[in-house]
Amino acid sequence: MIDKFPLIVDLAFILIVAGTTSLICRALKLPILVGYLLAGLLTGPHFALFPNVTDMENIHTWSEIGVIFLLFALGLEFNFKSLLKVGKTGAITSGLVVAGTMFFSWLLGLCFDWSMAQSIFMGGMLSVSSTMIIVKAFEELHLKGKRFTHIVYGVEIFEDIVAILLLVILPMVALSQGGSLARDVSVSLMRVIFFMVIWFVGGIFLFPTLLRKMKNLVNDEILLILSLALCLGMVLLADYVGLSTALGAFVIGSILGSTPEATRIEHLMTSIKNLFGAIFFVSV
């Protein structure tokens, strides 16, 4: 009977192995993240000593949900006002990181006779780091409340925005379509600006006012449902306009993080974030 539900079998298998490896890592005083990655190696298709997951597409779906909830939770902690405080530092730092990486990748390409397109692709890949890994590492080290972590989060968010632009620019560079390149970059910039406007208006005016007026009507259950609905709705909007779903989740998280209910929402989302976050790290 259970064979009719391979997703349940895979999910149970992953959680059992992840729970076991995370306990072992905790006993050895290693980060839980190491346990999740080890669980992914043991349950993945490249390790033959144990049964493997049967449907990787379903696992990728769960992991995508994990990314969404992790970035939504990050937005709740690192809200719109926090980003404004470190915006200048984050923008300058991420710009220097990307430009510097691109430059040294170009120098490396000269040494190995790479084409300009190959050098640019290599620089683009190396200049963007994993926000999810950094968030989890700071949680493990109990550093989330430090000022420098907010600066790092700011740099990561700006790098994610740069990554969106690179995803448009790099394929066009490879195809060498100059006019189309300029047009697609302009369209991508307009999409990012559109999201920034939503971010500003929603974070400063709209959502704080609405939640303040509905405070007496909203209990924990309704607040959780509304938060998830807004999160997934913004994710769908981001995907519809061709932007990263993770960016959409972060944007709505940072908007709700600027409201009076931010602490309640963060508390309600903790278990969901931990569950799907674990699946994401295992799927890596």
Side-chain angles (χ1 to χ4, degrees):
M1 186 70 177
I2 196 66
D3 293 337
K4 296 181 180 180
F5 306 101
L7 178 60
I8 297 177
V9 175
D10 288 341
L11 188 60
F13 183 46
I14 285 175
L15 292 178
I16 290 170
V17 177
T20 303
T21 54
S22 60
L23 280 174
I24 293 173
C25 287
R26 178 55 64 90
L28 296 175
K29 297 183 179 180
L30 294 173
I32 293 178
L33 179 59
V34 175
Y36 291 155
L37 296 176
L38 179 61
L41 291 173
L42 296 176
T43 58
H46 307 291
F47 195 84
L49 295 182
F50 292 97
N52 305 124
V53 295
T54 58
D55 194 335
M56 289 302 297
E57 287 298 319
N58 285 330
I59 300 304
H60 288 316
T61 300
W62 285 113
S63 67
E64 184 67 22
I65 297 174
V67 173
I68 289 170
F69 288 146
L70 281 171
L71 268 294
F72 179 64
L74 175 61
L76 289 172
E77 299 167 16
F78 187 70
N79 56 41
F80 182 80
K81 295 177 181 177
S82 299
L83 186 62
L84 288 179
K85 291 180 181 178
V86 299
K88 184 178 179 181
T89 303
I92 292 174
T93 305
S94 59
L96 290 174
V97 168
V98 173
T101 307
M102 288 286 190
F103 175 72
F104 284 108
S105 180
W106 173 71
L107 292 179
L108 187 64
L110 292 178
C111 297
F112 290 95
D113 294 325
W114 294 346
S115 67
M116 179 61 72
Q118 288 174 317
S119 299
I120 293 175
F121 266 85
M122 179 61 72
M125 288 188 292
L126 294 177
S127 63
V128 180
S129 54
S130 173
T131 305
M132 284 70 71
I133 296 292
I134 291 173
V135 170
K136 190 65 178 178
F138 282 165
E139 287 181 354
E140 288 289 316
L141 297 172
H142 305 290
L143 296 174
K144 284 169 50 178
K146 304 292 184 179
R147 171 167 170 73
F148 80 90
T149 62
H150 280 236
I151 296 175
V152 173
Y153 289 157
V155 172
E156 289 303 306
I157 296 306
F158 280 104
E159 282 189 357
D160 287 342
I161 294 174
V162 171
I164 294 168
L165 297 176
L166 290 176
L167 287 172
V168 174
I169 295 171
L170 294 181
M172 300 307 300
V173 169
L175 295 174
S176 299
Q177 297 177 1
S180 182
L181 172 63
R183 184 194 66 218
D184 285 354
V185 170
S186 299
V187 171
S188 184
L189 284 172
M190 292 301 295
R191 289 169 177 169
V192 173
I193 292 172
F194 169 69
F195 249 74
M196 295 302 104
V197 171
I198 293 178
W199 199 350
F200 181 81
V201 175
I204 297 296
F205 303 107
L206 183 59
F207 286 95
T209 303
L210 288 176
L211 286 178
R212 195 177 298 113
K213 290 183 177 181
M214 295 189 301
K215 184 175 182 179
N216 295 329
L217 301 175
V218 177
N219 59 18
D220 286 349
E221 182 178 355
I222 295 175
L223 184 62
L224 177 61
I225 293 172
L226 288 175
S227 300
L228 291 175
L230 289 170
C231 174
L232 297 179
M234 185 65 82
V235 164
L236 291 175
L237 178 61
D239 184 67
Y240 179 75
V241 300
L243 296 178
S244 165
T245 55
L247 178 63
F250 176 81
V251 166
I252 190 61
S254 65
I255 289 174
L256 294 178
S258 303
T259 67
E261 303 299 328
T263 303
R264 283 177 66 193
I265 297 173
E266 184 178 354
H267 174 73
L268 294 171
M269 283 296 302
T270 299
S271 298
I272 298 175
K273 179 199 71 172
N274 290 339
L275 171 62
F276 288 102
I279 297 172
F280 164 76
F281 289 115
V282 170
S283 73
V284 170

